[in-house]
Amino acid sequence: MNTIQLECFVAVAEFLNFTKAAEALKITQPAVSHQINSLEDELGTKLFVRSKKKVHLTKAGMQFIGDATSILGIEVSAKARLNDNEEASRLSLAIGCHNQLELNILPPILRRLRAEFPQLRPNLKLIPAEAMENLLEDENIQVMLSMRDGVLNSGIGTYRELLKCPVACICAPDHPFARCEVLEEEQLTGNLVLCEPRRAPDPVFKVQSHAAHMRPASQNFFCGGYENVIALVRAGVGFTLMPDVPVAREHALCYVPVTGFDAVSFGVVYKSIRGNPVLRRFVEIAQTYVGEA
């Protein structure tokens, strides 16, 4: 897999037209087709459905967009750092996040960190769960936020727990559950909004899939990632189940504790903080902010 293939894929995904993609990339249409074909051969799956009139992304193609744009973003950032003469005087910290919930946690932490390190250039990467550990292993990110269920050790580095998160029912204020102080698993009736399996961290998937199997299939709404789920909960389509991280709660939604589920560990994973004072302080500040909120 190379960046030319990925650039062609992203361009065709944007225009849904091979000719327009070729024009934007300033190469020929046959060259774009060749790169897409070779990428599909390498991945072992079709990324587009082609007809004489239309081009559509396949399900695999839609899932691959995030990976492709992340890889291209890493390339751009790397080139910029290497070509910037001032980069040597700057500090960088690349942080991997799975979803908006984890991004919500970072602003206060980074504000305090930049007060101590004014030259800091944070680099936030929103990365699919299955690609995150590879980026940490290859040191394209220095730290990642993570939820763990039972097994707290990490094969690629050190896991530092920030908080034990009870499972909560998240619903709109006008939902019947919003009036409850606590819920039991048996009370969770009605429409349940769920992340698609590939779009959720393992502990979230385990909680949601357990609840889904205990109810009629017609009441389960699989709708994508965390952001999609929250949008439908806001719209009153149903409720969802998530580990509750208080500092990352969505405003205007209600969080009701649910009994019957084990708490989920939330923390950070890093390879080493030795010789990296910025990363060390990030972990210390995160532990204080998240753990004491």
Side-chain angles (χ1 to χ4, degrees):
M1 188 186 306
N2 58 56
T3 56
I4 296 176
Q5 292 172 326
L6 297 178
E7 287 172 353
C8 289
F9 167 70
V10 171
V12 175
E14 178 181 355
F15 291 103
L16 293 179
N17 184 293
F18 278 73
T19 300
K20 291 181 179 179
E23 292 173 354
L25 295 170
K26 295 181 173 55
I27 59 177
T28 65
Q29 187 270 328
V32 172
S33 296
H34 172 73
Q35 294 296 335
I36 295 297
N37 289 336
S38 63
L39 179 60
E40 289 178 330
D41 289 342
E42 187 170 343
L43 295 175
T45 188
K46 288 293 182 183
L47 301 174
F48 297 99
V49 177
R50 307 161 176 85
S51 67
K52 291 183 178 180
K53 294 183 178 181
K54 294 183 179 180
V55 175
H56 295 289
L57 282 162
T58 64
K59 183 177 180 180
M62 289 187 285
Q63 292 173 338
F64 187 61
I65 288 176
D67 295 328
T69 53
S70 294
I71 294 169
L72 291 173
I74 291 169
E75 182 205 22
V76 171
S77 298
K79 287 181 177 179
R81 286 195 299 272
L82 292 173
N83 292 327
D84 190 343
N85 292 329
E86 297 181 2
E87 193 66 33
S89 65
R90 296 173 180 155
L91 300 174
S92 64
L93 182 65
I95 306 167
C97 299
H98 297 92
N99 50 44
Q100 187 63 46
L101 179 150
E102 295 176 358
L103 287 174
N104 289 346
I105 295 168
L106 293 176
I109 298 172
L110 294 178
R111 184 177 292 275
R112 288 179 56 181
L113 193 62
R114 292 194 76 246
E116 298 181 24
F117 301 94
Q119 293 293 99
L120 178 64
R121 295 279 298 272
N123 185 1
L124 307 184
K125 299 181 182 294
L126 191 60
I127 306 167
E130 61 270 18
M132 184 84 74
E133 292 193 358
N134 291 335
L135 293 182
L136 184 64
E137 177 68 26
D138 295 338
E139 299 186 359
N140 288 311
I141 57 175
Q142 281 77 58
V143 62
M144 72 182 210
L145 301 178
S146 179
M147 286 187 175
R148 303 272 158 163
D149 183 13
V151 180
L152 301 185
N153 63 308
S154 172
I156 58 170
T158 299
Y159 176 76
R160 179 79 65 87
E161 182 176 273
L162 305 179
L163 181 70
K164 284 285 191 183
C165 307
V167 172
C169 166
I170 306 174
C171 60
D174 58 350
H175 192 281
F177 290 160
R179 298 190 294 269
C180 300
E181 293 186 3
V182 66
L183 287 163
E184 297 180 2
E185 185 180 356
E186 295 76 15
Q187 295 176 279
L188 298 175
T189 58
N191 293 337
L192 173 61
V193 186
L194 305 156
C195 296
E196 292 177 355
R198 286 174 54 85
R199 303 289 298 277
D202 285 345
V204 174
F205 171 68
K206 289 179 181 178
V207 168
Q208 293 188 349
S209 63
H210 174 78
H213 284 119
M214 302 295 290
R215 54 200 299 105
S218 60
Q219 295 181 358
N220 295 327
F221 287 70
F222 289 91
C223 67
Y226 172 83
E227 296 78 8
N228 306 56
V229 169
I230 294 300
L232 291 187
V233 170
R234 287 183 183 276
V237 172
F239 68 94
T240 192
L241 296 175
M242 293 273 183
D244 183 14
V245 185
V247 296
R249 286 180 176 178
E250 302 288 339
H251 297 302
L253 292 180
C254 298
Y255 289 71
V256 183
V258 180
T259 63
F261 292 96
D262 293 333
V264 172
S265 177
F266 178 73
V268 294
V269 182
Y270 51 86
K271 292 191 73 171
S272 175
I273 58 176
R274 183 177 300 174
N276 190 335
V278 176
L279 177 57
R280 181 186 296 276
R281 281 299 292 145
F282 172 84
V283 173
E284 291 171 350
I285 293 169
Q287 197 154 28
T288 300
Y289 173 66
V290 176
E292 296 181 357

